Amino acid sequence: MGFSIDLYLNNIIVPIYRKSYPLMVTNKNNAYIKESLFSSKDGFFELPYFSNSPQLMLDSIVNLPVATHTLYKQKVHTENDFFDGNMNYLEIEEGLWVMSYNFDVKQNIIANAIYDDHNESEYYYLSFSVFHYEFPVKSIEKNIVLKSKCWTLYKPKTKVSMYFYKNTSGRFINIVFNKKWAQDNISKLFPELDSFFTSKTGYLTWLDQVPSEDSLFEKIYKRMEQIPVGIENVKEDILQLQNNFFSTVIQDNRLQSYAALSIFDYSSAAKAERMLLHHLNLPFIGINKIAKELHIAPTKLKIIFKSVFGLTILQYHKEKNMLLAHQLVKNSHLKISNIAQMTGYESASKFSSAFKKRFGSLPSVFRNNQ
């Protein structure tokens, strides 16, 4: 475990990060981080980091040759050829951390969570992310920007890969808590989740669906940018955001009857999502084509994807595709019939019906009301 020292500033007690020497990482793994940093594979540049604990994650990021650490602000900053970004961190109490991030991606990046076998891995990561993706559309001069929000909850020792595309900008907040904290603070409020927190590795993702998530996210994010800050102010908002999340998703069968998948399966789900997002402005490319690209049986891919994302591959594509259509209706002068064709609908009438079902009004009415 890491530890803190107290710094008194304007009568506010702030825990300040201090290098935790008992958290020793093998030379072999340290070498892997340095050698793998921004190595290229399948068109993506790798950004590896240790995910055993928030302290070890912080150690691995601070020690990157492209990182600058400002101790009293509890902030890590980087500007390099691949991305520019900032990370703020705060240990709220024993077993509970919060980390906030923002970055602009200059090249395709894959962030890989790895683990050091010589350190304990007992932390869960609950992440809420808000990203903006650019999609080039030939019929208009300016690229369409798609706002994408999602929640991800992953368990200790889960090797998560996150793909970030060139010209993507984003912010996210990680609420990081260990097993004991989860048992004392989450399982007591939501006993139905106890089996999830005591089972093996894995992660789940939910699209935008939690009440008040935007306002709470902005509130927390601004507080984190103002470190040093009173811990109780952040803690209250973090607990509210977290409880809103679990209250919303508690009925999800994936949580109550959780079954861990293999590392290969999680990787396949992430790559399938990457392919869907990469082809959003095109008609659905089909499950068979995705499965063939990933060298996996279509039936198995369907099961894996639904397990991780809670939606079928087609449902996921339709939701993201409809969000793209929303931006095209809002930010372009393209005809509704052209947008329908661009987003894979057979006719303008079917597109308009789907648009109204998702957003509450016909696309023509929505555009006229802007």
Side-chain angles (χ1 to χ4, degrees), residues 104-250:
D104 297 310
V105 183
K106 301 175 182 178
Q107 301 291 339
N108 292 340
I109 298 289
I110 178 171
N112 283 326
I114 61 176
Y115 294 84
D116 182 82
D117 294 336
H118 291 76
N119 288 281
E120 291 186 0
S121 301
E122 57 175 13
Y123 277 85
Y124 300 82
Y125 289 76
L126 175 59
S127 177
F128 178 53
S129 60
V130 181
F131 289 98
H132 293 86
Y133 300 89
E134 282 194 6
F135 287 92
V137 180
K138 293 182 179 180
S139 305
I140 59 178
E141 293 182 2
K142 189 177 181 180
N143 290 347
I144 287 295
V145 177
L146 175 63
K147 183 178 181 180
S148 178
K149 298 187 290 184
C150 75
W151 288 85
T152 301
L153 173 61
Y154 68 93
K155 298 184 172 193
K157 296 184 179 180
T158 302
K159 294 185 178 181
V160 177
S161 295
M162 295 177 288
Y163 293 88
F164 304 111
Y165 284 96
K166 181 179 179 180
N167 297 326
T168 295
S169 62
R171 298 183 300 165
F172 58 100
I173 291 175
N174 277 346
I175 305 173
V176 192
F177 48 89
N178 64 19
K179 292 181 179 180
K180 184 179 186 305
W181 196 93
Q183 292 171 355
D184 293 341
N185 295 276
I186 300 177
S187 295
K188 286 183 179 180
L189 290 175
F190 307 101
E192 302 94 328
L193 301 177
D194 189 57
S195 59
F196 174 82
F197 286 115
T198 56
S199 60
K200 295 181 180 180
T201 61
Y203 78 91
L204 300 170
T205 293
W206 295 261
L207 299 186
D208 172 28
Q209 60 178 309
V210 177
S212 304
E213 62 185 14
D214 287 322
S215 59
L216 278 171
F217 174 86
E218 293 298 334
K219 192 175 180 182
I220 295 166
Y221 193 87
K222 288 179 181 178
R223 290 191 191 279
M224 292 296 292
E225 286 189 311
Q226 295 167 359
I227 290 176
V229 65
I231 291 178
E232 288 304 317
N233 295 331
V234 179
K235 180 179 178 180
E236 181 180 354
D237 294 332
I238 284 291
L239 293 181
Q240 184 178 349
L241 183 63
Q242 177 183 265
N243 289 340
N244 286 354
F245 167 77
F246 284 115
S247 296
T248 302
V249 304
I250 193 169

Side-chain angles (χ1 to χ4, degrees), residues 88-115:
N88 289 94
Y89 56 90
L90 183 64
E91 183 178 16
I92 295 178
E93 63 185 28
E94 181 67 24
L96 176 65
W97 288 60
V98 60
M99 295 175 161
S100 63
Y101 312 77
N102 72 74
F103 50 85
D104 297 310
V105 183
K106 301 175 182 178
Q107 301 291 339
N108 292 340
I109 298 289
I110 178 171
N112 283 326
I114 61 176
Y115 294 84

Side-chain angles (χ1 to χ4, degrees), residues 302-345:
K302 291 179 185 179
I303 295 172
I304 292 170
F305 195 92
K306 182 81 178 284
S307 176
V308 172
F309 293 98
L311 298 171
T312 67
I313 296 177
L314 182 58
Q315 286 172 334
Y316 185 95
H317 177 268
K318 283 185 175 181
E319 172 62 14
K320 294 290 187 178
N321 192 260
M322 187 55 67
L323 291 174
L324 176 60
H326 182 274
Q327 293 299 309
L328 288 168
V329 172
K330 180 180 179 181
N331 298 316
S332 79
H333 298 291
L334 293 171
K335 293 181 179 179
I336 301 301
S337 58
N338 290 341
I339 295 176
Q341 184 178 19
M342 289 171 60
T343 50
Y345 284 85

Side-chain angles (χ1 to χ4, degrees), residues 25-37:
V25 179
T26 62
N27 290 332
K28 179 181 178 181
N29 284 329
N30 267 327
Y32 174 81
I33 289 274
K34 293 178 181 178
E35 292 172 4
S36 301
L37 180 63

